[in-house]
Amino acid sequence: MKKKDLFIITIFFAILLSACSSGSVMTRATGFAYEIIAVMDNAQWNGEAGDAVKADLMGPIEGLPQPEPAFKVTFVTPSEFNGLLTYVRNILIVRIDEGMYTKVSVNSESNRWSNGQVVMTLTAPDAQSLVEWFERNPDNISAYFTKVEMDRTVQQLQTTYSSTVMEYANAMFDISIEVPADMTSTKRAQDFLWASNNANTGRTDLVIYTFPYTDADTFTKDYLVAKRDSVLKENLPGAFPDSYMATETRFDLTYKPITVDGQYVGVMRGLWKMVGDMMGGPFVSHVVLDERYNRVVVIEGFVFAPETTKRNFIRRIESALFTLKLSKD
């Protein structure tokens, strides 16, 4: 069976389930997180324009032990794009026509054919113009759809989250954070909280810790790695004597500032390891200055999933980091 046919069958059953649960037919967007339908002329898809689209959507994401594409992409031609496929949650339509377009243009819209759907349309007069646009805007399309998916997760977490972690975070740190509801196993220590789903497949953990803010050098990669290693060594010992969690420094570790709701947030991502054991995986942390208490708040998610891909697990917990709210009272 062709992969495209299997995809269509999956969408068909997803629509049937949606109709049965909601009482309406084909109203909710279907498909899975971090999957996209790319609609494009076949010759263009197999040419340099298609290569540019694939490089953007299927390029490897940062901070994983093995390369994994940003998105799973299903390609269809315009003539094939109809019926069930129009209800998929993420759709990219690429049109190249020198008779209709004079420059590259990008447009996105929500709920075009189904609720919860995002459709992006990318138009260009010719393939070369499109290639040059991607060169000037690397990872622009994948970054947009990644944010869309993370926003969906955040919205879901607002109604379904771990009340245990929320209560502990509020009582211990005077903050709120909405993490997946299955994260019910916890450990508490001085200025430190650990939570986990303890899953057999795709185990996901969260840690929150704080320390006093002293100067601007705090928000540097070297300082934060050293602090991370000291805190986790003390609070997350391994199963064997003298084993403990640490940052894996043999591979790329990135740190970059972003702004979330007007608040500076340092984002660090890379790999963790268990010294004295064979465990390891990806992590991502958000580092925030809490001016009210003159302290630094660190929230971090990490994944242990040696038996499977890790993209969706780490992105799900990363979405939860964006729900952090400091006390303003």
Side-chain angles (χ1 to χ4, degrees):
M1 181 181 293
K2 293 182 178 179
K3 186 182 297 184
K4 188 186 301 181
D5 294 335
L6 179 61
F7 181 82
I8 294 174
I9 292 173
T10 302
I11 293 303
F12 174 72
F13 280 107
I15 290 174
L16 286 181
L17 290 174
S18 174
C20 292
S21 62
S22 65
S24 59
V25 178
M26 297 186 183
T27 56
R28 287 194 310 207
T30 60
F32 299 98
Y34 300 101
E35 295 191 0
I36 291 179
I37 284 187
V39 185
M40 194 171 178
D41 176 81
N42 188 66
Q44 294 165 348
W45 176 255
N46 291 310
E48 58 179 350
D51 289 343
V53 174
K54 296 170 198 172
D56 188 298
L57 292 178
M58 301 172 67
I61 62 175
E62 293 180 317
L64 296 184
Q66 294 87 28
E68 292 185 38
F71 288 87
K72 178 181 178 182
V73 181
T74 298
F75 163 71
V76 297
T77 64
S79 62
E80 296 171 321
F81 181 63
N82 53 55
L84 302 178
L85 296 181
T86 62
Y87 294 93
V88 174
R89 62 198 283 157
N90 300 317
I91 298 173
L92 173 65
I93 300 173
V94 182
R95 299 190 180 109
I96 301 176
D97 190 329
E98 61 181 357
M100 295 184 62
Y101 312 111
T102 59
K103 62 179 182 179
V104 177
S105 179
V106 183
N107 177 65
S108 63
E109 56 185 308
S110 301
N111 308 322
R112 181 170 180 179
W113 292 292
S114 60
N115 291 328
Q117 179 186 66
V118 170
V119 179
M120 175 176 283
T121 303
L122 183 60
T123 59
D126 51 63
Q128 185 59 36
S129 297
L130 190 64
V131 170
E132 292 173 355
W133 183 88
F134 275 105
E135 291 173 350
R136 295 191 303 270
N137 301 276
D139 302 323
N140 189 280
I141 305 298
S142 60
Y144 174 82
F145 278 106
T146 297
K147 185 178 186 307
V148 166
E149 288 288 11
M150 287 195 172
D151 287 345
R152 287 175 176 141
T153 303
V154 168
Q155 185 176 15
Q156 181 186 40
L157 289 171
Q158 290 173 347
T159 57
T160 306
Y161 57 85
S162 171
S163 58
T164 300
V165 173
M166 176 67 84
E167 291 170 5
Y168 286 155
N170 185 259
M172 296 174 62
F173 305 107
D174 196 19
I175 64 174
S176 69
I177 184 168
E178 294 152 347
V179 305
D182 59 356
M183 303 188 78
T184 55
S185 298
T186 60
K187 171 187 175 181
R188 290 172 287 167
Q190 182 67 36
D191 298 323
F192 181 87
L193 172 65
W194 163 87
S196 175
N197 62 3
N198 273 338
N200 293 325
T201 300
R203 171 170 165 166
T204 305
D205 293 40
L206 175 91
V207 295
I208 305 173
Y209 58 91
T210 64
F211 55 90
Y213 174 71
T214 54
D215 57 60
D217 288 341
T218 296
F219 289 88
T220 61
K221 182 169 66 174
D222 290 344
Y223 185 97
L224 291 171
V225 168
K227 175 62 71 173
R228 178 183 190 274
D229 285 346
S230 65
V231 170
L232 297 186
K233 181 178 181 179
E234 179 179 355
N235 291 284
L236 291 182
F240 299 100
D242 300 321
S243 62
Y244 57 90
M245 179 175 284
T247 307
E248 178 57 86
T249 56
R250 294 177 301 170
F251 300 93
D252 288 342
L253 184 74
T254 64
Y255 177 79
K256 62 178 65 174
I258 64 172
T259 301
V260 180
D261 296 331
Q263 170 80 50
Y264 174 96
V265 177
V267 180
M268 186 163 64
R269 66 178 75 243
L271 302 179
W272 62 273
K273 64 181 178 180
M274 192 65 74
V275 176
D277 201 346
M278 297 297 291
M279 298 176 68
F283 78 88
V284 57
S285 63
H286 283 194
V287 187
V288 182
L289 175 62
D290 187 349
E291 296 184 15
R292 184 184 181 205
Y293 293 106
N294 195 41
R295 65 181 179 177
V296 177
V297 178
V298 180
I299 50 173
E300 174 182 315
F302 54 92
V303 170
F304 179 64
E307 72 287 348
T308 187
T309 55
K310 301 158 185 63
R311 178 194 63 198
N312 287 16
F313 295 119
I314 194 67
R315 282 182 163 175
R316 184 168 185 247
I317 193 61
E318 182 175 2
S319 300
L321 305 187
F322 284 95
T323 70
L324 171 70
K325 292 182 175 59
L326 305 177
S327 174
K328 301 297 183 182
D329 298 331

